[in-house]
Amino acid sequence: MKTFSNIIQGLACSAVLLTMTACGEKEFYNDEQYRKECYIVSGDDNIFGQEYTFGEKSVGYISVYASGSTPVEHDVTVTLRPAAALLKSYNQRIYGTNYADYADLLPENCYSAPDGWSVVIKADNSYTLFPISVNVDQLDVTKTYYLPIEIAGVSDYQYSASKNYVLFRIYMRNAYATTKSDTYYQMYGTTIDLVNDGNTFTQADPAAVPTVFNATKRMIPVTDNSVSVIPGASQNTENTDRNSVRLIVTDEVYDRPVLGDDGLPTGKTIPTLKVKVEPLNQGSTCVQVTTAYDLVTGQELVSSFNPADETFTLNYSYRMPTDRSGSNELWHRVREEMSRMN
């Protein structure tokens, strides 16, 4: 009986211990185990980016969090502010004296905080979103823009000493390309050399036939309806501001003839948008561009964009100022079919 009594007492003690342990666990998980800190979500070097669309004053967001194992007990106001000095420090630390690589500060007239510079993390929550409105129409796509933002103060708790700011990077996009990642088009085309004696274009070699070529081309947005790209079969990706052409997608509808496998018109057409091809920049060292014509019929060869399959069909002639054939200017007439890859 003594042994049985000892067993009963042991079970009772175990039950009490289990009850105490369960209560302790419940209290443990209900209590804050880590110090609460407000911080801005970002990646390496406190960088976070957002795409903005040309032709729109669109809104992006950064996330403001309160760390800890439990949500905040009451509303917490976090006040933010622009902090240009942070970008200066970043440029000096990353690029040193390579000033050409420095990122640019987003101009004040290109952004706003539509809801003001304070946000509230609501009770029983852990984060909130801070909206930033940006107009990229006046920005230069060849430059890198940041808007540095830091926490100026919090109504309760404290803010992180290392994640109290973000270098908010501005990416630009349109319907054809983006600067957030490289946008590539697969191109198939033909080219033939022409000479211009000042009055007319003729084939540089009368017996020559168009040369077939293909390439993967990077396309860069310029405005809401235009992009830049290296012309023809050129592989010169240096000095792209001088060597690139601009493709401008217009609102003018062009019924493009559908060609058969033999390259001849089938009698069918598809609606496309006319495209203008011109130099990206003007100058004595920049690429030159002119309209392409059929050398037999004299008919203009039209460039267009098909929104249905995101394909450019381009016809144009280009040359660099140094391209010559004897005393005459040397031009390269090209036809390109470019389809978006990503």
Side-chain angles (χ1 to χ4, degrees), residues 212-279:
V212 176
F213 67 102
N214 63 78
T216 300
K217 289 193 173 187
R218 182 188 176 198
M219 195 170 285
I220 301 172
V222 178
T223 65
D224 62 326
N225 68 332
S226 69
V227 293
S228 68
V229 68
I230 298 297
S234 174
Q235 297 297 315
N236 185 359
T237 56
E238 298 180 357
N239 301 317
T240 54
D241 58 329
R242 298 200 303 263
N243 296 333
S244 296
V245 297
R246 183 197 304 258
L247 311 180
I248 304 171
V249 182
T250 72
D251 294 329
E252 185 178 356
V253 176
Y254 170 66
D255 292 321
R256 172 164 295 284
V258 176
L259 303 181
D261 295 337
D262 55 3
L264 299 176
T266 61
K268 299 179 181 180
T269 62
I270 53 174
T272 62
L273 300 175
K274 274 193 175 182
V275 172
K276 295 180 180 178
V277 185
E278 60 184 36

Side-chain angles (χ1 to χ4, degrees), residues 26 123 187 255 297 299 306-307 319:
K26 184 177 181 181
M187 184 275 292
D255 292 321
T297 65
Q299 182 179 3
N306 183 0
R319 69 180 293 271

Side-chain angles (χ1 to χ4, degrees), residues 10-58:
L11 290 173
C13 289
S14 297
V16 172
L17 288 173
L18 286 172
T19 301
M20 292 175 63
T21 301
C23 291
E25 287 180 351
K26 184 177 181 181
E27 291 173 359
F28 178 87
Y29 287 112
N30 280 339
D31 293 337
E32 177 64 72
Q33 301 303 312
Y34 305 100
R35 181 178 65 186
K36 287 192 181 301
E37 286 187 341
C38 295
Y39 66 97
I40 301 175
V41 177
S42 61
D44 294 341
D45 290 315
N46 285 30
I47 292 174
F48 177 75
Q50 176 73 48
E51 282 183 303
Y52 289 89
T53 304
F54 282 106
E56 301 177 6
K57 193 173 182 180
S58 48

Side-chain angles (χ1 to χ4, degrees), residues 61-72:
Y61 298 89
I62 61 174
S63 296
V64 181
Y65 264 79
S67 65
S69 60
T70 63
V72 297

